[in-house]
Amino acid sequence: MKSLPVIFYPKALRLLYNKNKGKKLNLFFPQTFNDYINHMKLFDSVPLSLKTQLTNKLEVRNYIENIIGDKYFKKIYAVYNSFDEINIEDIPIPFFLKTNHGCKWQVLIENREYFQNNYLSLKKNFNSWLRINYAYA
């Protein structure tokens, strides 16, 4: 799509959608959720920088905190870039260990012993979650 002139985007989206779904895509008068999502790809006026910010759970928190404050949020005790950075002694028990970019990817850590006894399997799971990049899925 990068090399395709912008004027051909609607036709290309329709063809691709029809090929993958076997249905017509209604870009100009969206009726279904898929119609609307594809319509937004072409015609939405929300700045790309805001869309990018709102795809990140932590950035959404920051965005909302700036508007209404943080009184509606659960406390985040720590943010790590890798599993190996986790210092279990710094986090109050119980807690949820989760990724920032997935859904239903969390583990309840009810005590430190569970974390220590299952360290390798937790790390394997967590690292497999981190490898998934939804931009390309």
Side-chain angles (χ1 to χ4, degrees):
M1 289 283 270
K2 284 184 180 180
S3 62
L4 190 65
V6 174
I7 195 163
F8 295 119
Y9 282 4
K11 185 172 185 169
L13 271 177
R14 279 197 204 102
L15 289 171
L16 190 61
Y17 187 82
N18 186 270
K19 178 182 175 193
N20 290 325
K21 300 287 186 184
K23 300 176 184 176
K24 283 190 170 188
L25 183 62
N26 190 343
L27 288 174
F28 297 102
F29 301 100
Q31 301 296 308
T32 68
F33 181 71
N34 282 326
D35 290 346
Y36 183 70
I37 293 296
N38 282 285
H39 173 86
M40 285 177 32
K41 289 178 189 177
L42 298 174
F43 307 112
D44 192 21
S45 62
V46 175
L48 185 59
S49 60
L50 179 58
K51 287 180 186 176
T52 301
Q53 181 183 9
L54 297 180
T55 62
N56 180 304
K57 290 177 188 168
L58 293 172
E59 291 298 321
V60 167
R61 285 177 67 101
N62 293 336
Y63 179 79
I64 294 172
E65 280 179 20
N66 288 333
I67 297 171
I68 63 169
D70 65 352
K71 63 184 176 185
Y72 300 103
F73 292 113
K74 300 280 186 189
K75 181 164 175 50
I76 293 178
Y77 291 100
V79 177
Y80 304 105
N81 292 315
S82 76
F83 191 85
D84 292 326
E85 293 177 10
I86 298 171
N87 183 352
I88 190 75
E89 301 304 322
D90 292 343
I91 306 170
I93 300 293
F95 70 91
F96 278 98
L97 178 65
K98 60 189 295 177
T99 64
N100 182 30
H101 73 300
C103 177
K104 298 182 181 178
W105 290 345
Q106 69 268 339
V107 178
L108 174 60
I109 308 296
E110 295 189 72
N111 56 59
R112 288 179 173 79
E113 293 77 28
Y114 175 82
F115 183 83
Q116 292 160 347
N117 293 339
N118 295 285
Y119 183 85
L120 292 177
S121 64
L122 288 169
K123 180 178 179 175
K124 181 181 176 182
N125 253 357
F126 197 78
N127 286 337
S128 71
W129 295 339
L130 289 177
R131 279 192 294 276
I132 296 174
N133 184 340
Y134 281 109
Y136 304 107

